[in-house]
Amino acid sequence: QVQLVESGGGSVQAGGSLRLSCSASAYTYSRYCVGWFRQAPGKEREGVAVIDSDGFPSYADSVKDRFTISQDIRKRTLFLDLQMNSLKPEDTAMYYCAAEGVGGYCSLEAYDYNDWGQGTQVTVSS
């Protein structure tokens, strides 16, 4: 099982920026989907941004033009980042990175991903 470790959450005022990072060592998949999901209290987990092993991203409409996802593998370690700009109070949530070692289309649906990080809190104040 892949172990994903997140970092970079925190508190920021509206309009500010944060960068989330996630890594997984001994990552052996050559084709994969990885991404970021979030869950606010009382709400379902939702897809924020995903990216495939070729570097093609998909974004939720709510974060397009504000968030940028990137991924890389170096020495069998997967690195996944999410640059979040122009943050809004509605972006407040627990953010999780996720991975799935399959090829093809990468969906924004949480049920398509089997490996999850422990989560990192993002809080945006108005």
Side-chain angles (χ1 to χ4, degrees):
Q1 187 174 358
V2 175
Q3 190 170 17
L4 299 165
V5 180
E6 300 123 333
S7 62
S11 297
V12 66
Q13 288 191 328
S17 299
L18 283 172
R19 188 176 184 89
L20 304 183
S21 296
C22 175
S23 64
S25 58
Y27 199 74
T28 58
Y29 294 104
S30 58
R31 307 293 296 171
Y32 52 84
C33 293
V34 290
W36 291 93
F37 295 77
R38 66 187 181 189
Q39 189 166 19
K43 294 188 177 181
E44 292 187 356
R45 191 169 296 189
E46 62 173 354
V48 175
V50 297
I51 189 168
D52 68 13
S53 44
D54 290 327
F56 291 108
S58 296
Y59 296 95
D61 289 342
S62 60
V63 305
K64 278 182 182 176
D65 300 324
R66 299 190 297 123
F67 290 10
T68 303
I69 189 171
S70 60
Q71 63 84 19
D72 192 15
I73 285 189
R74 299 188 296 274
K75 297 183 179 180
R76 295 180 62 199
T77 297
L78 171 70
F79 297 95
L80 177 66
D81 292 326
L82 184 69
Q83 178 65 41
M84 305 185 294
N85 298 328
S86 303
L87 282 161
K88 303 176 180 180
E90 50 264 44
D91 294 319
T92 295
M94 185 71 79
Y95 282 69
Y96 300 87
C97 67
E100 183 60 39
V102 295
Y105 171 73
C106 296
S107 83
L108 282 163
E109 299 292 341
Y111 56 70
D112 283 333
Y113 296 78
N114 285 330
D115 298 310
W116 293 86
Q118 79 284 359
T120 185
Q121 179 68 37
V122 171
T123 302
V124 185
S125 58
S126 57

